[in-house]
Every structure is written in C-alpha cells, then in structure tokens.
Amino acid sequence: MCTHINRVNSTGHKSMISHHKKSEDMISLEGLPADHFLFASESVGEGHPDKVCDQLSDAVLDACLVQDPHAKVACETAAKSNIVMAFGEITMKGKVNIEKTLRDTLREIGYDSKEKGIDSDKCSIVINVDEQQQEIASAVHIGKKEEELCAGDQGHMFGYATDEWDKETLFPLSHYLASHLCLKLAELRKTGEVSWLRPDCKSQVTVEYVKQKDNSIKPLRVFNVLISTQHDDKVTQEEIQKVLVEKVVKSVIPANLLDEKTVYYLSLIHISEPTRPLYISYAVFCLKKKKKKK
C-alpha cells in the first residue's frame, strides 16, 4: 500500500472535465462536436489506501461519538506496508480502544494477511493521540454561547444534485457508474464468487455529454472506463479480463452506453517488492484512434 494521510471528512472521489490535448499516446478527441464535452469521475474501493485511511479515521470518530456525543475529535491516519498510524487530538468523556477499532476495521475491509498488504491482527499500530490544546478549546467552544461557536478546522468541497439521467439517485452519471464498479468488485470478493480479488481497487468513467439548446446537459455514451484491481499472483490475464468484462462492467454499465467504437485494453502489472506485494490489473475501454486522412 502507498502512504496516504486522510482526514475524517475526506470523500475519496474526484471529478474532472477533460480538455482537448494533442498527444499520440492519448485517446483521439478529433471530431468531437463543439457542443459536446467529457466529464470524468474517479472512485476508489474500500481497500484503496485513500479509502482505508478514511474508514480508519471514521471508525475512531464513530467510536468516540458512541461514548460521548459531544466529543471533539481531530483524528488522522496513515497506512504503509503492514503499519498503521493514528494521531491527532481527542477530547471526550469515556475511553476508546483505538488499536482494537483500527484492527477491527482493517479486518472488515478484508486486509487479513501480509500478502494483501496489511495483516489486521499482526500489523504494527502506532498511536499518538493527545487531548485538544486548551488554547484552541478556549477559542473555539469552551464557555461559548451557541451563536459564538467556531469551527476547529475548515475545508472546501463541492458537490451537486443533477437529474441529467434519472430522478432518484441525482448523481452525475460518471460518478454513479465509477462508484458502482468498485462496489461490484467488493461484492464479488466478499461473497467469494471471485476468490482471487483483493481489497484495493480504483475505477474511472468518462462520459460524453451534449449541451442542449435550453442549456441542459444530456449524457450520450460512456467514452471510456478504467478499472484497476488488486488480485493474487495465481490468476491469469485472460481470467482477469473475462471477469472484469462479464461480471463487473456488463453488470454495472448499461449496454446502450457502450457502442461499437469501444474497444478493450487489458494489461497486467506485477509489483513484487518485499514491502509491497501488489498485483494490479487495468482494464481500459476507449475509442480507437482515428486515422488521419491523407
């Protein structure tokens, strides 16, 4: 696993709007109409280092709030190659077994052996948590009226609801599909239907949109899809491709969003460093490059 540090309010999702860039190694965007644009969303699975740290911090926060609904918790976590660190400031009534909370959460995610990156029962746990500094507490909440309470930290994020493709989920289509690809991988792994899957995974879906005359936007098709998933070292490339296509992509992305221009690319990367046993596969769906007219 790579080193990541995440706060309790981190989302684990990213979105981006594609700009036209010319490169021989990039998917060709030539011929994309002026009123069309691409919007991509990335999502990570529960075993991805980003999300692992999110869940560890969240678990500590939840445990504190169970003991004391008014607990003041600023907890951060970092994870790297069979070691987890939790550090920050917590002020609360009661006590929380932070180490047990961290190990239970890792086990629930699926990290139960060193071969997977972290062994929930045997990994090193480093905890450095103090109480909130008195100066900060006094400035933020102690002795304050409700209307005078301040935030102990600040953050900026954006989000929106959209009915671009349905009236219920209200998520951008790219975000919905990317998230559900990772959820499907987790389902296949946890039910045991695909035994070689491991917890770490990531997906990205790019959707082609058209801007209509009334300025509303409409998703037309999935432009490309990327899936990366951790797996054991016994599975073949052919098996990975078959499962990702038949059991993941086809069960999540509606067939009408994938057209005849979509092609499959699959490469297998083995990283077998002693401190980082990691096997990742990338399945990419993208448009074929258009041949330049002579």
Side-chain angles (χ1 to χ4, degrees), residues 47-279:
H48 187 277
D50 284 347
K51 205 65 174 177
V52 168
C53 291
D54 284 343
Q55 292 169 95
L56 293 173
S57 295
D58 286 345
V60 173
L61 173 61
D62 290 344
C64 291
L65 294 177
V66 169
Q67 295 290 325
D68 180 3
H70 300 290
K72 303 297 183 292
V73 182
C75 177
E76 302 187 18
T77 60
K80 175 72 171 77
S81 300
N82 218 33
I83 182 172
V84 174
M85 295 175 284
F87 42 93
E89 298 180 344
I90 298 177
T91 301
M92 60 174 291
K93 297 177 181 178
K95 293 184 178 180
V96 169
N97 188 331
I98 296 178
E99 180 177 343
K100 183 178 185 303
T101 300
L102 296 176
R103 292 190 187 280
D104 289 347
T105 303
L106 287 171
R107 192 178 303 109
E108 183 178 350
I109 292 170
Y111 282 117
D112 52 12
S113 70
K114 189 175 181 180
E115 288 70 30
K116 294 181 181 180
I118 289 184
D119 186 330
S120 57
D121 294 321
K122 298 179 181 179
C123 67
S124 299
I125 300 285
V126 178
I127 300 171
N128 190 348
V129 175
D130 299 317
E131 289 193 349
Q132 186 181 51
Q133 294 182 6
Q134 186 64 33
E135 293 81 1
I136 296 177
S138 298
V140 173
H141 62 87
I142 292 180
K144 300 285 186 180
K145 297 179 181 179
E146 185 174 346
E147 63 271 17
E148 297 175 338
L149 292 175
C150 300
D153 203 350
Q154 297 81 39
H156 295 279
M157 59 202 74
F158 85 94
Y160 60 92
T162 175
D163 60 357
E164 65 189 42
W165 66 282
D166 84 330
K167 305 294 183 182
E168 296 182 5
T169 65
L170 301 180
F171 282 126
L173 180 58
S174 56
H175 169 82
Y176 179 89
L177 295 176
S179 297
H180 280 71
L181 288 172
C182 289
L183 288 173
K184 187 62 180 179
L185 285 166
E187 176 190 322
L188 294 172
R189 173 174 56 85
K190 289 190 169 183
T191 60
E193 184 174 347
V194 181
S195 61
W196 46 261
L197 281 172
R198 288 181 175 176
D200 191 359
C201 68
K202 176 186 284 188
S203 69
Q204 179 173 300
V205 177
T206 302
V207 174
E208 181 179 345
Y209 288 85
V210 61
K211 186 175 181 180
Q212 304 186 101
K213 292 182 178 180
D214 61 357
N215 287 326
S216 64
I217 61 173
K218 178 183 178 181
L220 297 178
R221 58 188 295 275
V222 169
F223 186 82
N224 62 45
V225 179
L226 181 145
I227 301 174
S228 63
T229 182
Q230 187 185 21
H231 56 83
D232 67 29
D233 60 346
K234 303 296 191 299
V235 64
T236 65
Q237 183 175 0
E238 291 74 21
E239 176 67 11
I240 293 171
Q241 181 178 16
K242 180 180 178 181
V243 168
L244 290 180
V245 173
E246 299 297 329
K247 294 189 176 183
V248 181
V249 174
K250 288 187 177 180
S251 66
V252 172
I253 301 180
N256 65 305
L257 293 177
L258 298 170
D259 57 31
E260 71 282 354
K261 295 180 180 179
T262 304
V263 294
Y264 294 62
Y265 292 102
L266 181 66
S267 60
L268 185 61
I269 300 174
H270 290 281
I271 304 175
S272 54
E273 304 168 24
T275 58
R276 189 182 177 186
L278 182 64
Y279 299 91

